[in-house]
Amino acid sequence: MTLLRPQPLTAAAFAPFGDVLDASGTPDRIINAGLCGRFHDRAQLDFGEPGSRAGISIFDAVPRPLPYSFDLVERHPEGSQAFIPMSLQPFLVIVAPDEGGTPGTPLAFLTAPGQGINLHRGTWHGVLTPLHAPGLFAVVDRIGPGANLQEHTYPKPFTVLPA
């Protein structure tokens, strides 16, 4: 078993894997008669082959406590995938670099309340892992023909410890 400590989710640390979705900093635009700040175009959605489109689904995941053990990661070769929490609870994000078609050593990130993520197309990642109820997320991902899921099971589990 290999132990991992989650690091805070920052745009710089997460950049190789995807985009951090949050409302940090100054809004890009003020809209709605000055009553709303718009944080514009925060993710690069990528849905691959023709005939694909963006879809919005709702996921209701069972919360897991830390320490959390896992041996399964997956990726979506035909499309990006965004996870937007529908509560202000932090969640665990596990990603791994691609090493010749298989995942390398995973990294663990802990979101701040109000942060979401958009995983780049083909990024190895763990399953949705809320740490608190409710585990409700809006998920924006590819809807279309063809296979868009690859799974990998590590020979030994990894355990994410509390930060």
Side-chain angles (χ1 to χ4, degrees), residues 1-4 68-73 94 103-107 154-161:
M1 177 183 335
T2 302
L3 302 176
L4 303 172
Y68 168 70
S69 292
F70 70 95
D71 62 1
L72 174 72
V73 292
I94 296 165
T105 302
L107 299 162
Y154 287 103
K156 291 199 239 174
F158 292 87
T159 297
V160 181
L161 301 172

Side-chain angles (χ1 to χ4, degrees), residues 74-138:
E74 63 184 36
R75 70 177 174 177
H76 308 286
E78 297 299 328
S80 57
Q81 190 174 43
F83 293 91
I84 305 161
M86 296 176 73
S87 72
L88 290 177
Q89 299 294 338
F91 64 102
L92 185 65
V93 178
I94 296 165
V95 291
D98 182 72
E99 295 182 354
T102 59
T105 302
L107 299 162
F109 292 93
L110 185 61
T111 67
Q115 284 183 318
I117 61 162
N118 178 59
L119 296 165
H120 291 160
R121 177 166 48 149
T123 296
W124 290 106
H125 63 89
V127 300
L128 182 56
T129 313
L131 301 174
H132 307 279
L136 287 173
F137 289 77

Side-chain angles (χ1 to χ4, degrees), residues 19-31 36-45:
D19 309 300
V20 174
L21 307 175
D22 66 13
S24 61
T26 303
D28 299 294
R29 298 177 184 149
I30 301 299
I31 60 173
C36 181
R38 179 176 174 149
F39 296 83
H40 185 69
D41 198 20
R42 294 295 167 129
Q44 294 295 316
L45 302 179

